[in-house]
Amino acid sequence: QQQVKQSPQSLIVQKGGISIINCAYENTAFDYFPWYQQFPGKGPALLIAIRPDVSEKKEGRFTISFNKSAKQFSLHIMDSQPGDSATYFCAASMAHQKVTFGIGTKLQVIP
Amino acid sequence: NAGVTQTPKFRVLKTGQSMTLLCAQDMNHEYMYWYRQDPGMGLRLIHYSVGEGTTAKGEVPDGYNVSRLKKQNFLLGLESAAPSQTSVYFCASRSGGEARTQYFGPGTRLTVL
């Protein structure tokens, strides 16, 4: 059972454009929603995370939008740069429980 | 701080051979995890540990065993490797309580022929 559904699986965006990756979850007990960024040949690293008591969190060019009623959250990358080319994973977890990851989105930002 | 390290970085096995992957962390983290990453499948949890001497099964545990004899180390064993275990393996750790960030190692690329 896929508890966190992520789309699209791949995304090509022009430099300067907005990259948008969407995730949906099923378990309303999830209370922590992180996004991880993975460069080729490296392990994933935390990019940004949100808790369900806020609808948006912004860190630089990266923003998480969270819709609790729809059980959806998304990552927006403003002014996308070639250096943002990576695989992005959304995830969800509950306290003292393991993390459930989405299948990942491979982002390519072209000049 | 080295963070999370994994040994080896690459390995090629023949079907039926055994091996152990080592994960070490120097952050005094309570929780440690083993994932496998396959194209189109994301990160799937194999086994995890919530403290020294404890282990638990994740979503894809068959064919793997783990041990956590020391807090800083988490070992993943393949007793009889199969081609279906060809994958990239990642170890991760996090501190307990409300700190949820997982810190990943650089990965081990395993090929089973």
Side-chain angles (χ1 to χ4, degrees), chain A residues 6-85:
Chain A
Q6 182 172 349
S7 63
Q9 287 195 44
S10 64
L11 181 62
I12 299 175
V13 173
Q14 287 222 309
K15 179 182 176 182
I18 303 174
S19 303
I20 302 174
I21 305 170
N22 300 299
C23 284
Y25 62 97
E26 299 168 4
N27 191 337
T28 55
F30 287 141
D31 65 352
Y32 178 72
F33 301 88
W35 285 88
Y36 283 80
Q37 180 187 53
Q38 183 184 28
F39 293 107
K42 305 291 186 183
L46 180 69
L47 179 65
I48 187 172
I50 197 168
R51 299 213 182 238
D53 52 345
V54 296
S55 60
E56 186 176 281
K57 183 172 181 180
K58 184 176 181 179
E59 290 185 2
R61 296 183 293 107
F62 300 90
T63 299
I64 299 178
S65 296
F66 188 83
N67 186 328
K68 190 174 181 178
S69 60
K71 293 187 288 185
Q72 296 175 346
F73 59 110
S74 60
L75 177 69
H76 295 237
I77 306 174
M78 311 300 288
D79 187 26
S80 299
Q81 299 296 312
D84 297 329
S85 297

Side-chain angles (χ1 to χ4, degrees), chain A residues 31-32 36 38 43-44 46 51 89 93 95 98-99 101 103, chain B residues 31 35 37 42-43 45 48 90 98 100-102 104-106:
Chain A
D31 65 352
Y32 178 72
Y36 283 80
Q38 183 184 28
L46 180 69
R51 299 213 182 238
F89 293 95
S93 72
K98 49 192 181 293
V99 176
F101 287 89
I103 63 171
Chain B
Y31 292 52
Y35 296 91
Q37 183 176 18
L43 291 160
L45 183 65
Y48 64 102
F90 287 100
E98 280 304 304
R100 305 284 191 96
T101 302
Q102 291 196 10
F104 284 81

